[in-house]
Amino acid sequence: MRDVLERLMEWWRAGESVAVGTVVATFSSAPRSPGAAMLVGPEGEAVGSVSGGCVEGAVYQLGEEILESGESMLQRYGVSDESAFAVGLTCGGIIDIFVERVDRSSYPELGEVAADVEAGRPVAVATVIAHPDPARVGRRMVVRPVGQPIAGTLGSSRADDAVADDARGLLASGRTETLEYGPEGQRRGEGMRVFVSSHAPVPRLLVFGAIDFAAAVAKLGSFLGYRVTVCDARAVFATASRFPSADEVIVDWPHRYLKAEAEAGRIDGRTVICVLTHDPKFDVPLLEVALRLPPLAYIGAMGSRRTHDDRVKRLLEAGLTEEELARLASPIGLDLGGRTPEETAVSIAAEIIALRWGGAGDRLSTVPGPIHH
């Protein structure tokens, strides 16, 4: 959608109607990812792509029909559909495309959504793409991070609550997906499909210290949807071959790298920092920088309690306040009793997740009340 948003906004501001075809699900070797979009403009213009050329003609024709009727439609193209060959989907994949008419009347929130996207503010749009009640298809809700208002409704408060909760989870990890519920938002039901389009940079996980624990944390961080960076000043240890799960491996002094990233605007409130070196010549300068930044999602440091006490003493001597030190999770992770690097990585990830969503880290079997806060 980002690729076509500028053109879409030109028509929207002019009061024109536009057919928007969006890839909402893919299977096998489909050429475009969920969120890819194609526009059919008011004068028949085609902008964007949903399949790299395979089914554009069919989507264009469907878009023209929907501009006339105003009725949204979910269409599947794939190897099991005879029409797939007719429209040229020869790659062997399957794609679901939702086509709707967009204008000021049908999507009044689009201006605010576009402003959020342009400014880099996280925002998700949840759209009903299938429902037993045809009148509910096309309804949408604009979801922002916890504490910010929600705009629109999917047709019932139960559905709104369930989808908003899940949409915020997808937004926090920068993922775009189609979710399925019962007609009124029942989590174990089926019949209502909701496409959640997340507009947010993927959150970052910065792992400092090129050790075996770092490899496990990087792997789990990637699994959780983070963009993972491993940084260490020692070139012999900081190599891509040792950290295949990391998106990038940086050879630099940790404090210098973090300061440069912050000054470049690449650190935000969703950023997670794991300090695994437990060496004061690396840790202390790094934590001086990290703990003085605007609040991050998580700052954790590995080490024994003796190492922690020594680290705190050095940081106090460096001028950090008690309030700044309170932001540090040290020793790092939840008490799961783990020993191996992989088990330690799970305990670190568990603490990050608990802090993100307000969990206490207790066993659910011993905690009364709802599972989700």
Side-chain angles (χ1 to χ4, degrees):
M1 177 60 78
R2 288 176 184 267
D3 295 340
V4 300
L5 186 57
E6 182 177 354
R7 192 74 177 99
L8 175 60
M9 287 306 300
E10 291 176 4
W11 282 315
W12 185 85
R13 293 189 184 100
E16 302 282 2
S17 294
V18 182
V20 181
T22 305
V23 177
V24 296
T26 65
F27 310 90
S28 187
S29 57
R32 298 298 303 274
S33 301
M38 174 181 170
L39 312 180
V40 179
E43 300 298 328
E45 305 93 326
V47 179
S49 172
V50 289
S51 69
C54 296
V55 301
E56 264 69 12
V59 173
Y60 180 87
Q61 182 177 352
L62 184 57
E64 287 188 313
E65 295 173 4
I66 285 172
L67 276 177
E68 291 292 328
S69 68
E71 296 183 1
S72 303
M73 182 178 296
L74 178 64
Q75 183 68 48
R76 171 166 291 186
Y77 301 98
V79 295
S80 61
D81 178 359
E82 291 183 5
S83 65
F85 295 103
V87 298
L89 189 63
T90 57
C91 59
I94 301 173
I95 56 176
D96 285 351
I97 297 177
F98 183 69
V99 186
E100 59 184 327
R101 187 171 70 185
V102 169
D103 51 35
R104 282 183 172 273
S105 176
S106 67
Y107 198 166
E109 308 91 350
L110 181 58
E112 294 181 0
V113 171
D116 285 341
V117 173
E118 178 68 24
R121 295 186 294 265
V123 61
V125 179
T127 305
V128 178
I129 60 173
H131 198 281
D133 179 1
R136 300 270 287 269
V137 175
R139 289 204 176 198
R140 65 172 55 83
M141 184 170 61
V142 179
V143 181
R144 295 180 174 86
V146 175
Q148 297 186 37
I150 292 172
T153 178
L154 303 185
S156 74
S157 58
R158 180 175 183 177
D160 291 349
D161 290 343
V163 175
D165 187 46
D166 293 341
R168 281 172 168 153
L170 292 175
L171 185 60
S173 59
R175 300 203 311 273
T176 289
E177 292 183 11
T178 291
L179 309 175
E180 186 156 2
Y181 306 86
E184 299 303 322
Q186 302 93 326
R187 292 188 178 277
R188 289 194 174 186
E190 58 183 24
M192 180 172 74
R193 296 179 68 195
V194 179
F195 176 63
V196 180
S197 178
S198 296
H199 301 282
V202 175
R204 298 188 66 186
L205 167 61
L206 307 182
V207 183
F208 295 99
I211 62 175
D212 51 355
F213 288 92
V217 170
K219 183 176 182 178
L220 196 52
S222 179
F223 174 76
L224 291 176
Y226 288 92
R227 176 175 175 80
V228 179
T229 299
V230 175
C231 177
D232 198 300
R234 302 164 298 181
V236 67
F237 297 117
T239 63
S241 61
R242 295 189 68 224
F243 301 97
S245 298
D247 294 285
E248 57 183 353
V249 179
I250 303 296
V251 179
D252 198 353
W253 279 84
H255 72 282
R256 185 168 60 192
Y257 174 74
L258 179 59
K259 183 178 180 181
E261 290 297 287
E263 291 175 347
R266 291 189 285 268
I267 304 296
D268 61 27
R270 300 175 303 146
T271 301
V272 168
I273 291 178
C274 294
V275 182
L276 308 183
T277 50
H278 48 79
D279 183 333
K281 70 175 178 290
F282 295 117
D283 291 0
V284 174
L286 170 61
L287 290 171
E288 280 187 68
V289 175
L291 294 171
R292 284 173 171 152
L293 292 173
L296 307 181
Y298 178 83
I299 304 173
M302 177 177 280
S304 66
R305 297 198 181 277
R306 177 179 296 180
T307 299
H308 167 74
D309 292 340
D310 177 69
R311 182 188 292 133
V312 168
K313 179 182 177 181
R314 291 173 184 266
L315 290 170
L316 288 171
E317 291 173 349
L320 269 75
T321 66
E322 294 286 353
E323 183 178 359
E324 290 168 334
L325 286 172
R327 297 167 53 198
L328 176 62
S330 175
I332 197 170
L334 295 186
D335 180 14
L336 303 184
R339 295 290 187 273
T340 68
E342 291 75 18
E343 290 171 342
T344 301
V346 170
S347 77
I348 294 170
E351 184 173 37
I352 292 169
I353 294 169
L355 288 175
R356 178 195 291 177
W357 298 113
D362 299 320
R363 297 180 66 190
L364 288 174
S365 62
T366 66
V367 179
I371 292 175
H372 297 289
H373 295 269

